[in-house]
Amino acid sequence: MHLKTLKRSRFFLIASLADHDVFYRPDVRAGFEALFRSFDRDATFQFFKSFRRVRINFSDAVTAAEARVTLHKSDFNGKEMRLYFAQSLHIGNSRLEPPKPDKQFLISPPASPPVGWEQAKDATPAINYDLLCAIAKLGPGDKYELHAGTPTTPSVVVHVCESEHESSGGEDEEQRRARPRIVQTRRPEYTPPPLH
């Protein structure tokens, strides 16, 4: 209740201070207050040391404006002091209200699409008939040179694999037998130290 009365009946400035002494030393604080009391004898002060700010409450707007014009960016205790008019924020309701439901379906989709929404139709796939024709001409065991080699670049040649029916089963068995067997590395022998 006190703050609401203060907001309605008083006009205030916010002082931004680079000097920390005003928050800790009473003599510096008294000098700071004397600067503003020369404009308004009834000025009150609220010190916020963690923010390095001071709220100065004046009895009328003219006095607050006069103090700001005179003392803004002035030197206080060897450092610059800046003064700002504080902006009061009025919130109509103490509770937060949900956002307006305009186009909120993209954030959290509803159970059914919104009225008038239609699914975009997929385009028909592009069929490259030249590529299909070239693939159809390929036969097993043939080589096809796609890019001829030059002295500085290699050639690109496609070798078509044979189908499973044309390869003989004997070759696969021989290849399986010819594979070297990987022998597991033997574990070193371990003898525990004797217990005494």
PDB file of all heavy atoms in Angstrom, residues 13 18 35 37 45 58 66 71 79 85 87 106 108 117 123 136 138 150 164 168 191:
ATOM      1  N   LEU A  13      13.656   9.739  -9.465  1.00  0.00           N
ATOM      2  CA  LEU A  13      14.776   9.521 -10.373  1.00  0.00           C
ATOM      3  C   LEU A  13      15.534   8.293  -9.926  1.00  0.00           C
ATOM      4  O   LEU A  13      15.508   7.936  -8.749  1.00  0.00           O
ATOM      5  CB  LEU A  13      15.738  10.715 -10.352  1.00  0.00           C
ATOM      6  CG  LEU A  13      15.252  12.044 -10.892  1.00  0.00           C
ATOM      7  CD1 LEU A  13      16.315  13.107 -10.655  1.00  0.00           C
ATOM      8  CD2 LEU A  13      14.958  11.942 -12.371  1.00  0.00           C
ATOM      9  N   ALA A  18      28.896   4.811 -10.119  1.00  0.00           N
ATOM     10  CA  ALA A  18      30.081   3.973 -10.254  1.00  0.00           C
ATOM     11  C   ALA A  18      30.842   3.920  -8.935  1.00  0.00           C
ATOM     12  O   ALA A  18      31.698   3.066  -8.740  1.00  0.00           O
ATOM     13  CB  ALA A  18      30.980   4.513 -11.361  1.00  0.00           C
ATOM     14  N   LEU A  35      23.118  16.879  -2.111  1.00  0.00           N
ATOM     15  CA  LEU A  35      23.002  17.337  -3.500  1.00  0.00           C
ATOM     16  C   LEU A  35      21.535  17.446  -3.923  1.00  0.00           C
ATOM     17  O   LEU A  35      21.125  18.434  -4.524  1.00  0.00           O
ATOM     18  CB  LEU A  35      23.702  16.348  -4.441  1.00  0.00           C
ATOM     19  CG  LEU A  35      25.197  16.476  -4.650  1.00  0.00           C
ATOM     20  CD1 LEU A  35      25.685  15.321  -5.504  1.00  0.00           C
ATOM     21  CD2 LEU A  35      25.531  17.784  -5.322  1.00  0.00           C
ATOM     22  N   ARG A  37      18.804  17.269  -1.829  1.00  0.00           N
ATOM     23  CA  ARG A  37      17.978  18.026  -0.883  1.00  0.00           C
ATOM     24  C   ARG A  37      18.056  19.528  -1.153  1.00  0.00           C
ATOM     25  O   ARG A  37      17.201  20.281  -0.707  1.00  0.00           O
ATOM     26  CB  ARG A  37      18.394  17.712   0.548  1.00  0.00           C
ATOM     27  CG  ARG A  37      17.972  16.308   0.966  1.00  0.00           C
ATOM     28  CD  ARG A  37      17.383  16.259   2.356  1.00  0.00           C
ATOM     29  NE  ARG A  37      16.741  14.976   2.581  1.00  0.00           N
ATOM     30  CZ  ARG A  37      17.320  13.951   3.166  1.00  0.00           C
ATOM     31  NH1 ARG A  37      18.558  14.050   3.603  1.00  0.00           N
ATOM     32  NH2 ARG A  37      16.660  12.836   3.335  1.00  0.00           N
ATOM     33  N   PHE A  45      15.346   8.772  -0.064  1.00  0.00           N
ATOM     34  CA  PHE A  45      16.312   7.973  -0.819  1.00  0.00           C
ATOM     35  C   PHE A  45      16.154   6.498  -0.471  1.00  0.00           C
ATOM     36  O   PHE A  45      15.916   6.146   0.680  1.00  0.00           O
ATOM     37  CB  PHE A  45      17.732   8.436  -0.478  1.00  0.00           C
ATOM     38  CG  PHE A  45      17.974   9.883  -0.780  1.00  0.00           C
ATOM     39  CD1 PHE A  45      17.710  10.855   0.175  1.00  0.00           C
ATOM     40  CD2 PHE A  45      18.437  10.282  -2.012  1.00  0.00           C
ATOM     41  CE1 PHE A  45      17.900  12.194  -0.093  1.00  0.00           C
ATOM     42  CE2 PHE A  45      18.644  11.618  -2.293  1.00  0.00           C
ATOM     43  CZ  PHE A  45      18.374  12.574  -1.329  1.00  0.00           C
ATOM     44  N   PHE A  58      10.954  12.602  -5.204  1.00  0.00           N
ATOM     45  CA  PHE A  58      10.701  14.034  -5.088  1.00  0.00           C
ATOM     46  C   PHE A  58       9.214  14.274  -4.868  1.00  0.00           C
ATOM     47  O   PHE A  58       8.377  13.437  -5.179  1.00  0.00           O
ATOM     48  CB  PHE A  58      11.159  14.764  -6.354  1.00  0.00           C
ATOM     49  CG  PHE A  58      12.649  14.755  -6.550  1.00  0.00           C
ATOM     50  CD1 PHE A  58      13.249  13.793  -7.332  1.00  0.00           C
ATOM     51  CD2 PHE A  58      13.450  15.714  -5.948  1.00  0.00           C
ATOM     52  CE1 PHE A  58      14.613  13.779  -7.516  1.00  0.00           C
ATOM     53  CE2 PHE A  58      14.815  15.707  -6.125  1.00  0.00           C
ATOM     54  CZ  PHE A  58      15.395  14.742  -6.908  1.00  0.00           C
ATOM     55  N   GLU A  66      14.228  19.281 -12.779  1.00  0.00           N
ATOM     56  CA  GLU A  66      15.287  20.265 -12.549  1.00  0.00           C
ATOM     57  C   GLU A  66      16.551  19.583 -12.005  1.00  0.00           C
ATOM     58  O   GLU A  66      17.665  19.887 -12.436  1.00  0.00           O
ATOM     59  CB  GLU A  66      14.779  21.322 -11.569  1.00  0.00           C
ATOM     60  CG  GLU A  66      15.685  22.501 -11.384  1.00  0.00           C
ATOM     61  CD  GLU A  66      15.069  23.498 -10.416  1.00  0.00           C
ATOM     62  OE1 GLU A  66      13.898  23.871 -10.601  1.00  0.00           O
ATOM     63  OE2 GLU A  66      15.785  23.892  -9.465  1.00  0.00           O
ATOM     64  N   LEU A  71      22.091  17.713 -12.595  1.00  0.00           N
ATOM     65  CA  LEU A  71      23.065  16.751 -12.063  1.00  0.00           C
ATOM     66  C   LEU A  71      23.370  15.561 -12.977  1.00  0.00           C
ATOM     67  O   LEU A  71      24.251  14.766 -12.655  1.00  0.00           O
ATOM     68  CB  LEU A  71      22.581  16.228 -10.711  1.00  0.00           C
ATOM     69  CG  LEU A  71      22.438  17.283  -9.608  1.00  0.00           C
ATOM     70  CD1 LEU A  71      21.839  16.667  -8.370  1.00  0.00           C
ATOM     71  CD2 LEU A  71      23.791  17.908  -9.292  1.00  0.00           C
ATOM     72  N   LYS A  79      33.709  10.373  -9.629  1.00  0.00           N
ATOM     73  CA  LYS A  79      33.190   9.483 -10.673  1.00  0.00           C
ATOM     74  C   LYS A  79      31.884  10.029 -11.217  1.00  0.00           C
ATOM     75  O   LYS A  79      31.182  10.777 -10.536  1.00  0.00           O
ATOM     76  CB  LYS A  79      32.996   8.072 -10.122  1.00  0.00           C
ATOM     77  CG  LYS A  79      34.320   7.444  -9.728  1.00  0.00           C
ATOM     78  CD  LYS A  79      34.165   6.031  -9.307  1.00  0.00           C
ATOM     79  CE  LYS A  79      35.538   5.481  -8.923  1.00  0.00           C
ATOM     80  NZ  LYS A  79      35.462   4.205  -8.304  1.00  0.00           N
ATOM     81  N   PHE A  85      14.882   9.031 -15.408  1.00  0.00           N
ATOM     82  CA  PHE A  85      13.518   8.999 -14.912  1.00  0.00           C
ATOM     83  C   PHE A  85      13.086   7.539 -14.869  1.00  0.00           C
ATOM     84  O   PHE A  85      13.245   6.805 -15.837  1.00  0.00           O
ATOM     85  CB  PHE A  85      12.575   9.788 -15.822  1.00  0.00           C
ATOM     86  CG  PHE A  85      12.733  11.262 -15.694  1.00  0.00           C
ATOM     87  CD1 PHE A  85      13.336  12.001 -16.696  1.00  0.00           C
ATOM     88  CD2 PHE A  85      12.288  11.920 -14.555  1.00  0.00           C
ATOM     89  CE1 PHE A  85      13.480  13.356 -16.577  1.00  0.00           C
ATOM     90  CE2 PHE A  85      12.434  13.283 -14.433  1.00  0.00           C
ATOM     91  CZ  PHE A  85      13.041  14.016 -15.443  1.00  0.00           C
ATOM     92  N   GLN A  87      10.608   4.413 -14.898  1.00  0.00           N
ATOM     93  CA  GLN A  87       9.348   4.097 -15.554  1.00  0.00           C
ATOM     94  C   GLN A  87       8.585   3.127 -14.678  1.00  0.00           C
ATOM     95  O   GLN A  87       9.119   2.100 -14.269  1.00  0.00           O
ATOM     96  CB  GLN A  87       9.601   3.461 -16.910  1.00  0.00           C
ATOM     97  CG  GLN A  87      10.311   4.370 -17.870  1.00  0.00           C
ATOM     98  CD  GLN A  87      10.640   3.671 -19.173  1.00  0.00           C
ATOM     99  OE1 GLN A  87      10.414   2.473 -19.309  1.00  0.00           O
ATOM    100  NE2 GLN A  87      11.180   4.407 -20.123  1.00  0.00           N
ATOM    101  N   LEU A 106       0.754 -24.022 -34.305  1.00  0.00           N
ATOM    102  CA  LEU A 106       2.092 -24.472 -34.692  1.00  0.00           C
ATOM    103  C   LEU A 106       2.959 -24.755 -33.478  1.00  0.00           C
ATOM    104  O   LEU A 106       3.859 -25.567 -33.533  1.00  0.00           O
ATOM    105  CB  LEU A 106       2.757 -23.424 -35.589  1.00  0.00           C
ATOM    106  CG  LEU A 106       2.082 -23.219 -36.943  1.00  0.00           C
ATOM    107  CD1 LEU A 106       2.770 -22.108 -37.711  1.00  0.00           C
ATOM    108  CD2 LEU A 106       2.106 -24.499 -37.745  1.00  0.00           C
ATOM    109  N   SER A 108       1.795 -25.826 -30.347  1.00  0.00           N
ATOM    110  CA  SER A 108       1.284 -27.057 -29.772  1.00  0.00           C
ATOM    111  C   SER A 108       0.106 -27.504 -30.632  1.00  0.00           C
ATOM    112  O   SER A 108      -0.979 -26.950 -30.527  1.00  0.00           O
ATOM    113  CB  SER A 108       0.839 -26.802 -28.331  1.00  0.00           C
ATOM    114  OG  SER A 108       0.292 -27.972 -27.803  1.00  0.00           O
ATOM    115  N   TRP A 117      -7.577 -25.581 -43.255  1.00  0.00           N
ATOM    116  CA  TRP A 117      -6.225 -26.101 -43.478  1.00  0.00           C
ATOM    117  C   TRP A 117      -6.300 -27.274 -44.448  1.00  0.00           C
ATOM    118  O   TRP A 117      -7.165 -28.144 -44.338  1.00  0.00           O
ATOM    119  CB  TRP A 117      -5.612 -26.554 -42.165  1.00  0.00           C
ATOM    120  CG  TRP A 117      -4.214 -27.053 -42.297  1.00  0.00           C
ATOM    121  CD1 TRP A 117      -3.078 -26.315 -42.348  1.00  0.00           C
ATOM    122  CD2 TRP A 117      -3.796 -28.417 -42.392  1.00  0.00           C
ATOM    123  NE1 TRP A 117      -1.982 -27.114 -42.459  1.00  0.00           N
ATOM    124  CE2 TRP A 117      -2.393 -28.422 -42.500  1.00  0.00           C
ATOM    125  CE3 TRP A 117      -4.462 -29.631 -42.409  1.00  0.00           C
ATOM    126  CZ2 TRP A 117      -1.656 -29.590 -42.606  1.00  0.00           C
ATOM    127  CZ3 TRP A 117      -3.727 -30.799 -42.514  1.00  0.00           C
ATOM    128  CH2 TRP A 117      -2.335 -30.766 -42.613  1.00  0.00           C
ATOM    129  N   ALA A 123       4.682 -33.140 -55.044  1.00  0.00           N
ATOM    130  CA  ALA A 123       4.924 -33.047 -56.483  1.00  0.00           C
ATOM    131  C   ALA A 123       5.283 -34.434 -57.014  1.00  0.00           C
ATOM    132  O   ALA A 123       5.828 -35.278 -56.306  1.00  0.00           O
ATOM    133  CB  ALA A 123       6.058 -32.068 -56.749  1.00  0.00           C
ATOM    134  N   ALA A 136      19.500 -49.861 -68.103  1.00  0.00           N
ATOM    135  CA  ALA A 136      18.949 -51.048 -68.760  1.00  0.00           C
ATOM    136  C   ALA A 136      19.940 -51.665 -69.741  1.00  0.00           C
ATOM    137  O   ALA A 136      19.930 -52.876 -69.966  1.00  0.00           O
ATOM    138  CB  ALA A 136      17.652 -50.695 -69.483  1.00  0.00           C
ATOM    139  N   LEU A 138      23.144 -51.884 -69.337  1.00  0.00           N
ATOM    140  CA  LEU A 138      24.267 -52.528 -68.648  1.00  0.00           C
ATOM    141  C   LEU A 138      24.043 -54.025 -68.572  1.00  0.00           C
ATOM    142  O   LEU A 138      22.950 -54.492 -68.275  1.00  0.00           O
ATOM    143  CB  LEU A 138      24.434 -51.962 -67.234  1.00  0.00           C
ATOM    144  CG  LEU A 138      24.810 -50.491 -67.122  1.00  0.00           C
ATOM    145  CD1 LEU A 138      24.861 -50.078 -65.662  1.00  0.00           C
ATOM    146  CD2 LEU A 138      26.153 -50.223 -67.765  1.00  0.00           C
ATOM    147  N   THR A 150      42.245 -38.174 -68.578  1.00  0.00           N
ATOM    148  CA  THR A 150      43.160 -37.225 -69.212  1.00  0.00           C
ATOM    149  C   THR A 150      44.511 -37.363 -68.511  1.00  0.00           C
ATOM    150  O   THR A 150      44.615 -38.083 -67.511  1.00  0.00           O
ATOM    151  CB  THR A 150      42.636 -35.778 -69.075  1.00  0.00           C
ATOM    152  OG1 THR A 150      42.605 -35.423 -67.702  1.00  0.00           O
ATOM    153  CG2 THR A 150      41.240 -35.626 -69.660  1.00  0.00           C
ATOM    154  N   GLU A 164      23.783 -63.670 -58.862  1.00  0.00           N
ATOM    155  CA  GLU A 164      24.048 -64.840 -58.019  1.00  0.00           C
ATOM    156  C   GLU A 164      23.901 -66.144 -58.802  1.00  0.00           C
ATOM    157  O   GLU A 164      24.579 -67.113 -58.535  1.00  0.00           O
ATOM    158  CB  GLU A 164      23.090 -64.848 -56.829  1.00  0.00           C
ATOM    159  CG  GLU A 164      23.350 -63.743 -55.837  1.00  0.00           C
ATOM    160  CD  GLU A 164      22.388 -63.808 -54.664  1.00  0.00           C
ATOM    161  OE1 GLU A 164      21.715 -64.844 -54.496  1.00  0.00           O
ATOM    162  OE2 GLU A 164      22.321 -62.828 -53.937  1.00  0.00           O
ATOM    163  N   SER A 168      29.375 -69.612 -59.747  1.00  0.00           N
ATOM    164  CA  SER A 168      29.333 -71.006 -59.298  1.00  0.00           C
ATOM    165  C   SER A 168      29.552 -71.065 -57.796  1.00  0.00           C
ATOM    166  O   SER A 168      30.280 -70.272 -57.233  1.00  0.00           O
ATOM    167  CB  SER A 168      30.405 -71.825 -60.022  1.00  0.00           C
ATOM    168  OG  SER A 168      31.680 -71.313 -59.713  1.00  0.00           O
ATOM    169  N   THR A 191      51.327 -66.361 -12.168  1.00  0.00           N
ATOM    170  CA  THR A 191      51.572 -67.142 -10.946  1.00  0.00           C
ATOM    171  C   THR A 191      51.418 -66.184  -9.776  1.00  0.00           C
ATOM    172  O   THR A 191      52.107 -65.157  -9.695  1.00  0.00           O
ATOM    173  CB  THR A 191      52.973 -67.747 -10.945  1.00  0.00           C
ATOM    174  OG1 THR A 191      53.925 -66.706 -11.145  1.00  0.00           O
ATOM    175  CG2 THR A 191      53.126 -68.790 -12.022  1.00  0.00           C
TER     176      THR A 191
END
